[in-house]
Amino acid sequence: MDKLVIEGGTPLKGRVRVSGSKNAALPILMAAILLDSPVTYTNVPRLRDINTTLKLLNILGMETSFEDGAAVVKPGAGLNPEAPYDLVKTMRASVLCLGPLLARLGEARVALPGGCAIGARPVNLHLTALEKMGAQFDLDSGYIEGKADRLRGAKILFDQVTVGGTENLLMAAALAEGETILENAAREPEIMDLAEFLNACGARITGHGSPVIRIEGVESLSGCEYAIMPDRIEAGTYLVAAAMTDGDLLLENCPMGALDAVCSKLREMGVSIEEAEGGLVRARRGGELACMDVTTRPYPGFPTDMQAQLMALMCVSSGAGTIRETIFENRFMHVQELVRLGAKITVTSQSAFVRGVPRLTGAPVMASDLRASASLVVAGLAAKGTTEVARIYHLDRGYEAMEVKLQALGARITRAKE
Ligand code: EPZ
């Protein structure tokens, strides 16, 4: 397994391009299952999870190619309804093939995704909603067996906001008979990107980005050419890195429209974030940083995927602050690793109390999940001395060539074998 070796203390300076969004690309690639002709995607990030998704589409019977950030997916001779466990266990988002398979094929056999480091992450809300559209499910030997003659439009109220559940239902409803209304739908920018993609293929979706989405089912959907939106979480991570290292970064392709809550909180802490000419965004420390309280919420609230990175920034800010995690039940795995770097954090149930320290000190630490890895990398960039982040296969799932981008910004960071 690989690790990252970081010599901290160098301010990051220069220009970094934000890659395409992992969490937009995954459902949008899965939606190729719905199409009756080839589709070309551009601005696709080069990530492990993207490779896994393309492998799954191959297993389901589709032809795929991926080079220079462009992916092409073509319908094959026929669709295979089974997403096998040995692939699903490496990427929970594989469950996003369920809705498209039921809509396109009338059947699906998808391994039940296990939990992961940050929580149990059940898919009950996906199944209940699809049942309202006429799907029938059995759980057999760890597989979700689904059948549906033809999905029928329905009015669906989600008990709680679910990004994946909203995405599965958007894709299922696109080819269903009649109108589907999703209430208490997720409003994330990635949901909007998926809806825009489906509409570009001929779907009839309105209201995306609001809590009520209407989908008028159509008979078929055709391929198109579509550019994946930039990754707001990667962008947020670099905004934090600029502040943590007292650097001066210019972000290219930064989706400011999707970063209101993140920029508002960072600016409250003292980070300077300015929109510069040519669509660039300039990020610097901007003065003394101060801890602030933050609570993670569904969009447009502060994103849970930025919680670990913000915590790292608070570790080296003045004063103290409380971070409340309301989306996942176990998303503080980075806390004990940050404590190894000298951070002062105490966790009580779903809250972490952070008291800033003048400087972190490098040490060997271990990544536990994708965003925890990013938090440890940015902490290592600011720490005095050497930090080694082990198990960075977690990082490779969601950050395109992070150490290469950081090296170009002056960071002393290298990839090595553990
Ligand atoms: C998506 O996960 C993202 N993943 C996550 O990003 C992100 O943290 C999450 O949305 C919240 O924004 C992708 O887009 C691939 P949910 P998802 O369904 O869809 C519970 C990252 O770091 N729930 O909105 O799985 C669930 O357990 C990843 O890029 C049910 O109880 O999130 C969680 O507590 C991590 N039953 C909460 O809802 C269900 O049927 C939110 O989950 C579905 C969800």
Side-chain angles (χ1 to χ4, degrees):
M1 285 192 273
D2 289 356
K3 64 183 176 183
L4 287 177
V5 181
I6 303 165
E7 294 303 326
T10 307
L12 297 181
K13 296 214 189 285
R15 185 165 167 158
V16 60
R17 186 180 188 285
V18 178
S19 299
S21 162
K22 166 180 87 79
N23 290 351
L26 297 184
I28 289 172
L29 283 167
M30 289 293 187
I33 296 166
L34 297 166
L35 309 181
D36 55 15
S37 55
V39 54
T40 298
Y41 301 103
T42 57
N43 199 37
V44 179
R46 297 165 185 77
L47 301 170
R48 281 165 58 103
D49 277 6
I50 297 297
N51 296 338
T52 305
T53 301
L54 292 171
K55 198 175 356 173
L56 175 57
L57 292 175
N58 288 148
I59 292 170
L60 297 176
M62 311 187 82
E63 292 170 37
T64 65
S65 65
F66 182 31
E67 52 189 281
D68 300 332
V72 176
V73 182
K74 295 178 182 168
L79 270 176
N80 157 29
E82 178 162 328
Y85 177 60
D86 62 357
L87 186 137
V88 172
K89 71 185 178 193
T90 67
M91 187 184 72
R92 307 177 24 71
S94 307
V95 75
L96 292 174
C97 72
L98 184 62
L101 282 172
L102 286 171
R104 186 94 165 102
L105 201 55
E107 63 172 311
R109 181 174 153 77
V110 178
L112 193 62
C116 74
I118 64 179
R121 303 186 71 184
V123 291
N124 58 308
L125 299 173
H126 301 229
L127 303 182
T128 307
L130 288 165
E131 283 169 341
K132 289 200 174 76
M133 298 185 71
Q136 293 169 332
F137 294 106
D138 284 319
L139 195 53
D140 169 37
S141 321
Y143 278 76
I144 303 166
E145 302 254 357
K147 288 215 179 311
D149 296 334
R150 180 161 188 212
L151 292 174
R152 296 183 308 278
K155 185 170 182 182
I156 294 160
L157 169 64
F158 284 109
D159 284 352
Q160 74 177 83
V161 173
T162 161
V163 171
T166 303
E167 289 166 344
N168 246 331
L169 271 289
L170 265 179
M171 294 187 279
L175 286 181
E177 190 170 354
E179 182 184 51
T180 298
I181 299 172
L182 303 181
E183 293 186 334
N184 197 24
R187 302 167 58 187
E188 271 68 7
E190 294 77 25
I191 300 274
M192 295 177 68
D193 211 25
L194 171 61
E196 287 301 308
F197 169 71
L198 291 169
N199 283 345
C201 297
R204 292 201 201 120
I205 301 170
T206 54
H208 38 295
S210 85
V212 181
I213 304 177
R214 290 173 184 277
I215 307 107
E216 187 61 46
V218 295
E219 284 302 312
S220 67
L221 293 169
S222 307
C224 64
E225 176 155 337
Y226 194 80
I228 302 295
M229 69 171 281
D231 193 314
R232 62 190 169 105
I233 304 301
E234 184 197 23
T237 304
Y238 282 99
L239 294 175
V240 166
M244 280 205 76
T245 61
D246 198 8
D248 188 342
L249 287 189
L250 280 174
L251 275 71
E252 188 185 316
N253 218 23
C254 179
M256 286 298 277
L259 281 164
D260 284 357
V262 171
C263 289
S264 162
K265 189 54 66 179
L266 291 176
R267 284 169 172 149
E268 205 184 325
M269 289 181 66
V271 180
S272 162
I273 303 170
E274 303 152 305
E275 301 202 46
E277 74 286 345
L280 297 173
V281 171
R282 185 178 185 194
R284 292 170 293 161
R285 173 166 287 178
E288 183 177 295
L289 297 175
C291 288
M292 293 291 161
D293 294 344
V294 67
T295 299
T296 63
R297 295 278 186 220
Y299 194 88
F302 189 88
T304 175
D305 291 351
M306 277 297 300
Q307 180 254 104
Q309 300 91 307
L310 190 86
M311 185 184 288
L313 183 61
M314 281 176 51
C315 289
V316 292
S317 301
S318 64
T322 299
I323 296 177
R324 283 187 62 234
E325 172 57 59
T326 69
I327 308 296
F328 291 107
E329 66 267 29
N330 188 36
R331 202 169 196 173
F332 285 140
M333 304 284 280
H334 41 284
V335 168
Q336 289 320 315
E337 300 306 307
L338 289 168
V339 166
R340 285 180 50 74
L341 300 176
K344 298 239 179 298
I345 311 168
T346 50
V347 172
T348 314
S349 177
Q350 293 301 94
S351 292
F353 182 74
V354 182
R355 180 172 297 286
V357 296
R359 191 88 194 267
L360 297 174
T361 306
V365 290
M366 192 175 294
S368 53
D369 58 86
L370 168 54
R371 306 304 173 182
S373 325
S375 160
L376 297 173
V377 169
V378 296
L381 291 170
K384 181 162 52 57
T386 305
T387 298
E388 296 196 354
V389 183
R391 299 190 181 177
I392 55 151
Y393 60 86
H394 290 292
L395 191 77
D396 295 336
R397 298 190 50 183
Y399 286 88
E400 186 174 54
M402 191 172 195
E403 80 273 16
V404 175
K405 290 189 177 184
L406 289 170
Q407 284 160 0
L409 298 171
R412 290 173 291 165
I413 180 171
T414 52
R415 183 181 287 254
K417 288 296 170 208
E418 277 186 30

